[in-house]
Amino acid sequence: MSTLPGDRPIPTAPSTPEASGDGSVIPLHVLSAELIASVEDGPKRTSSLYGRRTALAAPEAQIEALDAVPLASGPSQSGSFHRDLMASGWEAGIQPAPLEIFQINIGKLCNMTCMHCHVDSGPDRVQENMDREAVDACLRAIDHIQAHPLGGGLHTVDLTGGAPELNPHFEYLVDECVARGLHVIDRCNLTILRVKRYRHLPEWFAERGVEVACSLPHYRKMGTDAQRGDGTYGKSIEALKMLNEAGYGQGDPKRVLTLVTNPVGSFLAGNQESLEGEWKEALQRNHGVQFDRLFALNNMPMSRYLEWLIEKGQLEGYMEKLLAAFNPGTIDGLMCRNTVSVGWDGKIYDCDFNQQLEMDAAVPFAHVGDFDLGAWQARTVKTERHCYGCTAGSGSSCGGATA
Ligand code: SF4
Ligand code: SF4
């Protein structure tokens, strides 16, 4: 194996195939080659930090870059997220609320390489895909939570990536979660539904009542293609039509179609409620496309978006905007309070952002196979400056605005 700066290993394509849930075999290196070919044919923007072996690929380099920004605004005038929490009535830091959501980042492999990706995903992230053993450990943890006196609030399994559909155990995992009576969300990039191997998924999701939460930066072509690569917009609209044809986006609680937008540039997300009306009108008028709800999220100052901010000389200005918009009213609804986040290798984190920065949760176990709900609920959430991305304006979590 080669190494990144700081001796971080570069993954190589696995030589052995992965078995899928239905017994068929999908060699991941073959899948990756297919995806790279489809990227050459369509959306093409950048490559992963990891693949380019940049110093910023290392989480500690990202945290250092944020810490180096001179900041003296916010409630404590210190640029310290922890002190701003204390100054906002959260003296002991962020404490958990009852656990409601079990989120699994099932792999970093993706058919796209979006400019703003906080996961640093792409077709080259072949190695980082959850194996069957870790999938089954997740299911055992869910069983543990559902049987626990503190676990009665768990209602949702949230599957993200990468493109989660690319994991060979994806359909098995969805079926097992549905069988446990849980609501399942698939965080879908839309374009994957146009790849031949995955075109059955809209109908397949509809049969199981899976909510599909789809990334679409803007209802116009220019903004979407600028952030996600040329050709993305057209493929996304085609995929949305496939979902509409499967019954999604028309108010059926078993066919929920959520769109997720994030700003194209270095500004904050607009008002979610008013944007939703504008989007519904524009997509219906221009394409006859319908959806149920819109989440408006801030871009997190990390990974490829952090690289973009640094290259454009806009990191300091963006962080100042986040601090100026710090809103204590967002903290109560942050996803780190009601969610557990599991990585592709089974390690657990406070949220998907802390996961990408490899900030281990403050609990006496590291792997989902050892998950203990009592200890999880007794922890304090770990925070750093990237957390200002969640607390700006109306707040920003996987479930949209928090205030
Ligand atoms: S933002 Fe989503 S679709 Fe884009 S590269 Fe990252 S995981 Fe893939
Ligand atoms: S990044 Fe957001 S969700 Fe994660 S710990 Fe920080 S405030 Fe919580």
Side-chain angles (χ1 to χ4, degrees), residues 353-374:
F353 305 121
N354 284 10
Q355 180 183 142
Q356 306 316 323
L357 291 173
E358 297 181 5
M359 293 168 55
D360 296 341
V363 285
F365 50 89
H367 195 272
V368 68
D370 302 315
F371 190 77
D372 176 67
L373 184 56

Side-chain angles (χ1 to χ4, degrees), residues 3 45 67 78 85 99 102 128 139 163 176 180 188 195 211 318 346 349 352 403:
T3 56
R45 177 73 203 179
D67 282 346
S78 67
L85 281 178
L99 183 63
F102 195 98
E128 299 98 333
L139 294 171
E176 288 294 320
R180 285 163 170 78
C188 176
V195 176
E211 176 177 350
Y318 187 67
Y349 301 89
D352 197 49

Side-chain angles (χ1 to χ4, degrees), residues 146 155 176-183:
Q146 288 186 314
H155 53 71
E176 288 294 320
C177 294
V178 170
R180 285 163 170 78
L182 293 165
H183 179 63

